[in-house]
Amino acid sequence: MAAMNGSGVHKPAKYSAFNLLRRGLTGEGWPRAWRTHDLRPAYDVVIIGAGVHGLATAYYLAVNHHITNVAVVDRGYVGGGGSGRNTAIVRSNYLTPEGVRFYDRSVKLYERLAAELNFNVMFSQRGHLTLAHNDSSLRTMRWRAEVNKLEGVDSEVIGPAEIKKLVPFMDVGDETRYPILGALYHPPGGTIRHDAVNWGYARGADSLGVHILQNTDVTGIDVREGAVRGVHTTRGDIAAPIVVNCTAGWASIVSAMAGVSLPIITHPLQAAVTEPVKVFLEAVVVSGTLHVYVSQTDRGELVFGASTDPYASYSMRGSLEFTEELAGHVLELMPSIAKMRVLRQWAGLCDMTPDFSPIMGMTPVDGFLVDVGWGTYGFKAGPVSGEAMAQLIATGKTPEIIASFDLARFAEGRLVGEKGAAAVGH
Ligand SMILES: Cc1cc2nc3c(=O)[nH]c(=O)nc-3n(C[C@H](O)[C@H](O)[C@H](O)COP(=O)(O)OP(=O)(O)OC[C@H]3O[C@@H](n4cnc5c(N)ncnc54)[C@H](O)[C@@H]3O)c2cc1C
């Protein structure tokens, strides 16, 4: 696609210590991070979903390819889906070479994102530990470590004594119900501030002329003679030769509007956070066997997550069963935090695929693209997905880094099995 320019490029306020001081002293307020717009009747690209994937795609379309006549349309608000509900773990220690290369590119993009967007995304590479409580998990950890090393990703299997040094309060004794035999240690892994990433991309895309259209529900997709022509929304129709589905938990509903069927089942995923306490946990700790993971925020809260609820649903409500089960599993690992109180819990939707890898690229409908199947692990992939989808839209050619994640793989039996690295350890 030739480079096209929308109107409305503007320079956002610079976030800096000097400007903070200046505005504090003069009383001058900060402008809105992104603007509101009326719908144009036509755009060159319509992206459905203002989560990290939709926003990153729009941002890289504008910044890397100068395609700015773009709308990001969301039925709710920026980050109202999984992108504002996740537990913000970023890592690249996956199982398949395709997966490792893909997520590693995302980590690299995240490392420079704060400077690029002039937005503090609080990326904290504090190290990531996946515990092994049995021989088969340990074997998978060794396998992952070898694949990671071959792909140049820092990852190794360590024993209980080294784990104890990294997480001193963890019970690594062999008297526990699920003794810890070892762990996959991944130093570049860590956490990020998810809202800041969403807002930073939204602000960056907006400043380059992209329209972010919140409270705009896509109710239908116009397909004629095998090609997409635009979308119907609650605020009017929009014509567009390219429509991208970035709706994660709602992906199969939205794709069905274009007549494209996806092998996706939506499950709720819950998480919980405790009251804040003095910081004592540096690394992110994951136990697949105990269905639990934990990290501590800079404010001191412990953030807990688990695997998805075991039934398909579009409900985003937390449940007491989840908290009870989670608490039991957490105390297996860390008996000393028994007196801490859970502050709140929440849920989001996860678009699960059969092989725990995403679905990205073209579909049988010309101009209708998907960037979906993000399950429990898609936040960390926002930057690389946005970069690759933008390249695909701009050039019409599928970038090598996402080639294995095409929709056709399910019909052709080329699954990219990531279950061993993506089921609990988001
Ligand atoms: C509790 C929890 C913990 C998680 N932890 C992690 C983690 O630690 N690390 C990690 O990498 N991933 C994690 N994930 C997964 C991650 O959050 C998602 O994979 C990712 O955010 C998906 O981003 P997205 O941009 O594709 O979709 P979303 O952020 O879900 O955005 C989709 C958007 O589409 C919009 N939409 C839907 N239908 C329509 C329509 N018809 N018209 C217009 N708009 C529509 C929605 O309003 C929504 O805003 C977690 C998820 C949950 C729920």
Side-chain angles (χ1 to χ4, degrees):
M1 177 183 281
M4 288 163 283
N5 217 335
S7 57
V9 176
H10 84 124
K11 207 166 181 298
K14 186 164 168 51
Y15 294 156
S16 66
F18 173 74
N19 264 338
L20 188 64
L21 184 68
R22 186 179 65 76
R23 284 174 192 263
L25 292 175
T26 61
E28 184 189 343
W30 293 92
R32 294 184 76 90
W34 58 89
R35 297 161 294 173
T36 52
H37 297 278
D38 291 332
L39 250 65
R40 283 188 195 141
Y43 290 89
D44 297 320
V45 182
V46 166
I47 298 170
I48 313 174
V52 70
H53 285 263
L55 295 166
T57 302
Y59 172 75
Y60 291 113
L61 268 173
V63 79
N64 289 352
H65 306 282
H66 312 294
I67 297 173
T68 58
N69 187 21
V70 175
V72 183
V73 182
D74 200 292
R75 57 155 43 139
Y77 55 94
V78 163
S83 297
R85 295 165 186 269
N86 65 83
T87 43
I89 296 173
V90 175
R91 64 187 174 91
S92 59
N93 58 351
Y94 277 73
L95 183 62
T96 64
E98 302 89 313
V100 177
R101 282 196 287 274
F102 176 75
Y103 291 104
D104 186 45
R105 173 72 188 152
S106 225
V107 170
K108 299 262 161 45
L109 289 169
Y110 267 135
E111 281 170 351
R112 56 174 211 236
L113 199 62
E116 180 171 345
L117 297 177
N118 176 224
F119 208 113
N120 183 3
V121 294
M122 297 166 71
F123 188 21
S124 166
Q125 295 182 283
R126 53 180 68 185
H128 184 283
L129 281 169
T130 317
L131 305 177
H133 302 269
N134 54 48
D135 288 343
S136 76
S137 311
L138 201 55
R139 200 180 50 124
T140 309
M141 303 303 158
R142 293 210 172 98
W143 180 359
R144 280 169 67 183
E146 292 313 311
V147 177
N148 289 184
K149 280 181 211 154
L150 279 172
E151 296 298 333
V153 166
D154 189 1
S155 228
E156 61 172 330
V157 173
I158 59 174
E162 288 156 294
I163 298 171
K164 187 83 185 164
K165 273 191 215 145
L166 290 166
V167 192
F169 67 91
M170 184 122 70
D171 191 347
V172 297
D174 49 15
E175 296 298 304
T176 57
R177 190 159 152 219
Y178 297 100
I180 297 167
L181 305 184
L184 183 66
Y185 179 45
H186 175 50
T191 56
I192 200 157
R193 175 87 164 91
H194 52 8
D195 294 324
V197 173
N198 300 328
W199 299 336
Y201 273 131
R203 177 172 174 267
D206 170 81
S207 74
L208 295 164
V210 168
H211 281 189
I212 295 167
L213 305 170
Q214 302 180 101
N215 297 316
T216 311
D217 199 344
V218 172
T219 52
I221 297 178
D222 188 7
V223 176
R224 273 172 280 148
E225 289 152 13
V228 82
R229 310 286 164 163
V231 296
H232 306 294
T233 83
T234 44
R235 287 174 63 198
D237 293 349
I238 307 174
I242 294 181
V243 173
V244 191
N245 179 359
C246 293
T247 57
W250 299 269
S252 43
I253 300 173
V254 170
S255 281
M257 294 177 188
V260 173
S261 160
L262 298 176
I264 283 180
I265 298 179
T266 292
H267 287 255
L269 175 65
Q270 301 191 45
V273 68
T274 66
E275 59 191 335
V277 292
K278 192 174 168 191
V279 175
F280 66 96
L281 175 61
E282 178 74 19
V284 178
V285 179
V286 182
S287 166
T289 306
L290 295 176
H291 295 275
V292 68
Y293 63 90
V294 56
S295 68
Q296 189 168 22
T297 68
D298 294 335
R299 264 198 306 227
E301 301 149 332
L302 291 181
V303 180
F304 291 111
S307 35
T308 55
D309 288 349
Y311 42 81
S313 167
Y314 287 90
S315 160
M316 287 199 283
R317 295 183 60 137
S319 68
L320 182 60
E321 289 90 331
F322 164 79
T323 326
E324 272 187 318
E325 207 161 302
L326 179 83
H329 289 163
V330 167
L331 294 181
E332 296 273 358
L333 278 183
M334 301 180 266
S336 52
I337 64 163
K339 295 270 189 260
M340 278 183 81
R341 282 173 297 192
V342 171
L343 207 61
R344 62 181 183 276
Q345 68 180 105
W346 65 94
L349 300 183
C350 294
D351 40 340
M352 306 303 295
T353 60
D355 58 359
F356 286 67
S357 283
I359 308 174
M360 300 180 73
M362 315 246 195
T363 69
V365 173
D366 261 4
F368 181 64
L369 275 56
V370 289
D371 172 9
V372 299
W374 289 110
T376 61
Y377 37 83
F379 192 77
K380 70 178 71 60
V384 64
S385 304
E387 184 186 56
M389 290 302 292
Q391 194 183 328
L392 168 60
I393 294 164
T395 63
K397 295 196 186 77
T398 303
E400 181 58 36
I401 199 157
I402 60 166
S404 327
F405 304 134
D406 60 333
L407 176 58
R409 77 178 185 274
F410 298 100
E412 294 167 10
R414 292 181 279 107
L415 301 198
V416 189
E418 280 290 0
K419 188 168 184 193
V424 175
H426 307 327

